[in-house]
Amino acid sequence: MAKFKKRPVIPIYAIALVWVIFTLVHPLYRVSDYVTVILLSAVVFIVAKGIFPTISYEMPDPQPQAAPSASEEEPPAQDAAQEAQEEAPSSTGDPKIDALIQEKDRALQEMRRLNDAIEDEIISRRIDQLEDTTGKIIDQVVAHPEKLSQIRTFMNYYLPTTLKILNAYDRMGAAGVSGENIDSTMQRIETMMDTIVMAFHKQLDALFRDDAMDIASDITVMENLLAQEGLGGARPDQD
């Protein structure tokens, strides 16, 4: 138990009151006047202390707070850092490939937005094809970074220009009016879409040119070797 004392303030106020009343009734001109008021103040203080004594009381000691359990403790900083790392996009370790992946995500997201906004079914199907082919082109380069130089023109011109054309088509269609400029431009874009889709397909096919040449060379060597060993001939289903 903790012990406390509460000292009353009334005796102090009583002394102050004595000085106020005394100076009003009998101004302090002489030393004896000061002695008188001091003695009178002491008497009043003693009397007031007797009437209003110091109060002593006890209070229980504060209970110590229980330490938080392991389940209530905040997660370690290591866990927080791990969560932040999981939320952040993964890195391949190659800044150019990381930038390529980010550009792919932005392009495909924009294509999906345009596909939802454009009502023309034919254009919508073409956008589906462009989205699929674009993803395959970039995924192929991510898997084989040495092919990055082969799609530089595709990434710097063909892809952004295609998105620009589709955005123009979307804006003109949303205008809701028919006019010479709008109609002719939208018609040219509709005609151009087949060519763009074909160009994207050719870009994807070009990424496999070296692979095709390697496989063709392997096939030629194997055919010659089989012929030399006498293992060649007609296929079993041609007997």
Side-chain angles (χ1 to χ4, degrees), residues 61-67:
D61 295 331
Q63 296 294 331
Q65 295 182 352

Side-chain angles (χ1 to χ4, degrees), residues 91-173:
S91 173
T92 62
D94 187 335
K96 293 182 179 180
I97 297 300
D98 291 341
L100 180 64
I101 294 174
Q102 293 178 3
E103 185 60 30
K104 167 196 169 184
D105 294 339
R106 285 194 293 267
L108 297 187
Q109 183 178 3
E110 180 66 5
M111 287 183 184
R112 296 187 190 106
R113 185 193 69 79
L114 290 166
N115 205 348
D116 293 338
I118 295 174
E119 297 180 356
D120 187 273
E121 294 182 0
I122 297 177
I123 297 295
S124 180
R125 286 198 297 270
R126 297 295 178 265
I127 295 176
D128 287 336
Q129 293 174 314
L130 292 176
E131 180 182 344
D132 180 66
T133 306
T134 299
K136 291 179 179 179
I137 290 172
I138 297 178
D139 288 343
Q140 179 67 16
V141 175
V142 170
H144 302 278
E146 68 276 5
K147 298 181 179 182
L148 180 59
S149 60
Q150 299 182 36
I151 64 168
R152 184 170 290 111
T153 303
F154 173 80
M155 295 300 300
N156 293 339
Y157 180 75
Y158 293 120
L159 181 58
T161 303
T162 299
L163 293 176
K164 180 181 178 181
I165 291 173
L166 289 173
N167 270 286
Y169 187 91
D170 178 35
R171 291 194 304 271
M172 292 179 181

Side-chain angles (χ1 to χ4, degrees), residues 169-211:
Y169 187 91
D170 178 35
R171 291 194 304 271
M172 292 179 181
V177 296
S178 178
E180 180 180 355
N181 294 322
I182 292 178
D183 293 345
S184 62
T185 302
M186 292 183 69
Q187 186 175 2
R188 288 192 62 186
I189 293 174
E190 292 170 358
T191 304
M192 184 67 179
M193 286 305 297
D194 289 336
T195 304
I196 294 175
V197 170
M198 183 62 66
F200 276 47
H201 287 170
K202 289 183 177 180
Q203 176 65 77
L204 177 60
D205 181 71
L207 293 176
F208 291 91
R209 183 183 299 113
D210 293 340
D211 295 334

